[in-house]
Amino acid sequence: MERAGRLLADAKSVVVLTGAGVSAESGLATFREPEQGLWARYDPMELAHIDAFYRDPELVTRWYHWRFTRARDAQPNDGHRALARLQEWLTRDGRGFRLITQNIDGLHQRAGSRDVVELHGTILIWRCTKTGDQYPLDTIDFSSFPPRSSAGGVLRPNVVWFGEALPEKALEAASDAAESCDVFVSVGTSALVWPAAGFIEVARRSGAATIEVNLDATPNSEAVDISLRGSSGELLPRLLDRAQRLRAAEDQ
Ligand code: BJW
C-alpha cells in the first residue's frame, strides 16, 4: 500500500481500468458469480453474445432490462467514490487522469467521475436494430419483449457483446491513455476479456508502473509491479488517502 501510494503521489498521469468487481459492493453481480433466482438457470457469458440476441431476443432483452433495474436501484460505493476523488485531486494538481471502464452500469458517473471511457457501452441507452437510432430508457415501452422503437425495429441495449467490435472512439481513447500514462491501475477485473485485458500490458511496455486491486488473483497478478488483494471499496479509499498524505508531506 505504501509503494502504491507513493506511485500515485508522484504520478504525472494515471489511468484506471475498472471491471465488474468495482460494482460488486453496490450489490451488482460480477460475471463469474452465479445469479439468483430465474437467472441462475442461464450463463451470463452466454447471454452477453451477439448470437444469443439473434437466437432469442426476448430472453436477452428481458435479461438486460432486469440488469438495468438492478443498476438503477444500486448506489455507487466507496470504491467508485474514491476514483472520482482521485480524478478531482489529480486534475486540480494539473496532472493527467483517465478512467476506463468495462462496466455498463453508469455508477462511476453517478459517483462524480467525468469523461469516463465506456469500453463496453452503456445499459442506459438502447438502440434500434433497424435504424441505429438511440433511445433513452425512459422513452421505451417495456410492457412487452423484445421492446420496439417507434420505427418498428427491435431495440437492444447499447452495449458491446462478444463477437462485436468495441466503439472506435472509446478504443482509441483507451489505447492512447494506456500508452501515455505513467501509472496504470487495474481494478476489479478478471482480465480475461479482450481487448480490455491487453491495456495493462500496453501501459507496461510504454514504461508505466502497474498496480492491480482485486479480490482474487488474475492472469496479470504476477506481472504487475504491485498487487493489492482485497475489495476495491476498502482498498481504493485507503490508497487515495495514502497518496494524498505522501504528496502533502512532500509539499511541506
Ligand atoms: C472484486 C470485487 C471487489 C469481485 N473488489 N475485486 C484475443 C484473445 C482471445 C480472445 C479474443 C481476443 N480478442 C478478442 C477476443 C474475443 C472476445 C474475448 O475477449 N474472449 C475471451 C473471453 C477469450 N472479445 C470480444 O469479442 C470483444 N470484441 C472484439 O474483440 O471484437 C473484435 C471485432 C472487430 C471487428 C468486428 C467484429 C469484432 C468484445 C468483448 C465484449 C465483452 N462484453 C461483456 C458484456 C457487456 C455487456 C454487459 O455488461 O452485459 O463485457 S462480457 C463481460 O466481460 C462484460 C465485462 O465488461 C467483461 C469483463 O468482465 P469483468 O469486468 O472482468 O468481470 P469478471 O466477472 O470477469 O471479473 C470480476 C473480477 O472482480 C474478478 O476477478 C473478481 O475476483 C473481482 N472482484 N468483487 C475487487 N469487491
Side-chain angles (χ1 to χ4, degrees):
M1 184 60 81
E2 185 72 16
R3 279 173 58 223
R6 168 70 56 200
L7 284 174
L8 288 183
D10 295 340
K12 289 188 183 63
S13 175
V14 176
V15 168
V16 178
L17 169 72
T18 64
V22 81
S23 294
E25 287 155 276
S26 295
L28 302 182
T30 65
F31 283 86
R32 269 150 198 87
E33 287 168 336
E35 302 283 357
Q36 298 297 313
L38 178 63
W39 305 112
R41 288 191 280 135
Y42 301 104
D43 177 356
M45 301 307 281
E46 277 286 307
L47 287 158
H49 200 293
I50 181 68
D51 293 346
F53 173 69
Y54 284 116
R55 209 166 39 235
D56 195 342
E58 180 186 339
L59 172 69
V60 172
T61 54
R62 270 187 196 282
W63 190 62
Y64 274 91
H65 181 256
W66 172 77
R67 296 265 311 279
F68 157 68
T69 62
R70 299 277 301 138
R72 179 197 59 197
D73 297 344
Q75 296 302 323
N77 64 52
D78 288 345
H80 296 111
R81 281 189 286 271
L83 292 176
R85 285 194 287 124
L86 175 65
Q87 178 171 30
E88 198 192 316
W89 177 57
L90 291 171
T91 50
R92 205 184 327 119
D93 259 12
R95 300 190 276 160
F97 180 84
R98 196 64 149 155
L99 178 58
I100 305 168
T101 189
Q102 298 167 82
N103 300 343
I104 61 169
D105 55 34
L107 289 180
H108 283 305
Q109 290 89 337
R110 281 170 56 195
S113 290
R114 286 167 286 113
D115 304 322
V116 182
V117 177
E118 292 181 309
L119 273 184
H120 295 162
T122 172
I123 202 168
L124 305 179
I125 293 172
W126 289 43
R127 72 171 190 264
C128 176
T129 50
K130 196 163 148 190
T131 64
D133 289 345
Q134 298 192 346
Y135 290 76
L137 272 158
D138 57 3
T139 65
I140 302 172
D141 176 9
F142 284 108
S143 58
S144 65
F145 288 90
R148 296 203 172 256
S149 73
S150 47
V154 169
L155 284 166
R156 57 160 286 178
N158 203 28
V159 301
V160 183
W161 286 318
F162 283 120
E164 294 189 300
L166 275 66
E168 222 168 277
K169 270 175 77 177
L171 197 52
E172 204 178 296
S175 303
D176 289 351
E179 274 169 19
S180 59
C181 66
D182 54 6
V183 178
F184 186 101
V185 191
S186 172
V187 183
T189 175
S190 57
L192 294 172
V193 174
W194 294 78
F199 290 130
I200 194 164
E201 181 57 18
V202 170
R204 203 183 62 79
R205 268 195 266 118
S206 307
T210 51
I211 303 172
E212 182 179 71
V213 176
N214 214 74
L215 215 46
D216 303 303
T218 77
N220 289 328
S221 301
E222 295 285 308
V224 292
D225 295 306
I226 301 171
S227 173
L228 299 175
R229 203 64 63 74
S231 85
S232 49
E234 193 218 324
L235 292 179
L236 290 175
R238 280 177 51 201
L239 181 57
L240 174 63
D241 185 58
R242 189 64 56 97
Q244 289 180 324
R245 279 169 198 267
L246 288 165
R247 183 83 177 183
E250 276 167 17
D251 287 347
Q252 275 171 7

